[in-house]
Amino acid sequence: MRKNLIAGNWKMNMGPRETEAFFEGLGEQGLSEPKKTDCLICPPFVSLMSATARKVATPWVNVGSQNVHFENNGAYTGEISTEMLKEVGCTYVILGHSERREYFGETDEIINTKTKKVLADGLIPVTCVGEVLDERKADKHFDVVETQVRGSFAGLSDDEMKKTVIAYEPVWAIGTGETASPEQAQEMHEHIRNVLKSMFSDDLANAVQVLYGGSMNPGNAADLLAKPDVDGGLVGGASLKPDSFAELIRISEQS
Ligand code: PGA
């Protein structure tokens, strides 16, 4: 049985002080350790240490970054390495978010290199795929996502793929308040699993967590998480407040 993962992607929000306040607030939500839900918060780099230091009341919340470089160290001004992330207590890394693809030129090839690096160094990648609105309107969304999945996970071993989390985020649903319907999410998640079956094996395709992302919130999460191939959410806006993040965890536990 796959567990759900409720993952908060804070993007360029929440400095160290706000991060401390968030974790204090989360500790006051009366949550006990979730049984069927992995939990993750991905703050900006400068807030990672505040997150790992202040999650005392909720030690089961994992902390991750939103990006990483694929080299160990060296002359890469402005970049961060996997070892640095591990040193501050990160266990996950979001890779290939559509905002990184759009504004920072990340390609499937770069995302593939980063995914392999993150796995090699013992971190868990949450690798993102998803089509833009024009691609959906042109009925190309299944092909686009298949190309992204094949490109992002090319050359991974079964063992590596098993440790990878995929987030399907239709770009038209991110930050827009417009969510994919549970049926649209389910059919794409099933498609992703079918692509994984052809690249790897049935067992592996059934073992990988596939998250939905794009305006998930406490109002729509139950219907999305009820779908058999939706294993959690990558959540932006609704992960910024302790009460709504806690509510998402509760909904996931009941799903
Ligand atoms: P959103 O962001 O929940 O604010 O739409 C999701 C994401 O971009 O990961």
Side-chain angles (χ1 to χ4, degrees):
M1 249 324 261
R2 297 184 301 265
K3 284 176 95 177
N4 281 342
L5 170 63
I6 297 295
N9 172 16
W10 283 359
K11 312 192 181 190
M12 200 171 72
N13 299 295
M14 309 285 270
R17 277 194 296 272
E18 289 167 306
T19 300
E20 287 170 14
F22 174 91
F23 277 95
E24 264 153 45
L26 190 63
E28 291 160 6
Q29 299 298 314
L31 289 167
S32 47
E33 180 167 358
K35 302 257 179 311
K36 38 187 261 198
T37 309
D38 298 324
C39 302
L40 169 66
I41 288 287
C42 299
F45 288 131
V46 294
S47 301
L48 289 171
M49 283 190 75
S50 301
T52 51
R54 292 300 179 106
K55 61 171 192 151
V56 191
T58 52
W60 36 267
V61 176
N62 294 282
V63 175
S65 73
Q66 302 168 18
N67 184 26
V68 72
H69 197 260
F70 49 77
E71 294 291 349
N72 286 335
N73 47 51
Y76 300 101
T77 301
E79 293 293 331
I80 299 272
S81 74
T82 50
E83 287 307 317
M84 294 171 192
L85 293 180
K86 288 199 296 191
E87 194 175 333
V88 295
C90 281
T91 48
Y92 285 78
V93 184
I94 298 172
L95 292 173
H97 189 278
S98 62
E99 288 147 20
R100 303 265 351 142
R101 292 175 183 262
E102 183 179 353
Y103 307 129
F104 303 97
E106 291 200 11
T107 60
D108 289 337
E109 201 181 350
I110 294 171
I111 294 157
N112 181 246
T113 306
K114 290 187 175 188
T115 300
K116 286 176 179 161
K117 175 66 178 160
V118 160
L119 286 161
D121 293 345
L123 293 159
I124 302 171
V126 179
T127 302
C128 306
V129 297
E131 81 285 356
V132 300
L133 187 57
D134 284 351
E135 292 163 339
R136 180 162 280 264
K137 280 188 180 155
D139 210 21
K140 293 197 178 119
H141 44 296
F142 290 117
D143 289 345
V144 167
V145 169
E146 174 160 0
T147 302
Q148 291 174 337
V149 168
R150 289 190 182 277
S152 304
F153 305 125
L156 263 67
S157 67
D158 282 22
D159 210 39
E160 287 174 322
M161 191 67 229
K162 210 175 283 173
K163 295 181 190 133
T164 300
V165 179
I166 302 178
Y168 167 58
E169 299 206 308
V171 179
W172 46 272
I174 294 177
T176 57
E178 190 177 341
T179 326
S181 68
E183 291 70 30
Q184 286 171 322
Q186 169 58 27
E187 65 176 1
M188 185 59 86
H189 286 223
E190 199 178 327
H191 175 62
I192 290 170
R193 265 187 233 289
N194 286 333
V195 176
L196 294 177
K197 280 178 191 169
S198 85
M199 291 176 73
F200 299 93
S201 67
D202 286 18
D203 280 357
L204 189 130
N206 290 327
V208 170
Q209 282 177 324
V210 185
L211 316 184
Y212 167 79
S215 299
M216 185 186 268
N217 62 50
N220 58 30
D223 289 342
L224 288 159
L225 296 176
K227 292 294 175 191
D229 286 306
V230 178
D231 310 319
L234 182 56
V235 187
S239 72
L240 294 169
K241 295 270 183 300
D243 53 351
S244 64
F245 187 68
E247 192 55 24
L248 288 169
I249 296 169
R250 277 190 208 102
I251 292 165
S252 166
E253 284 293 279
Q254 284 156 17
S255 76

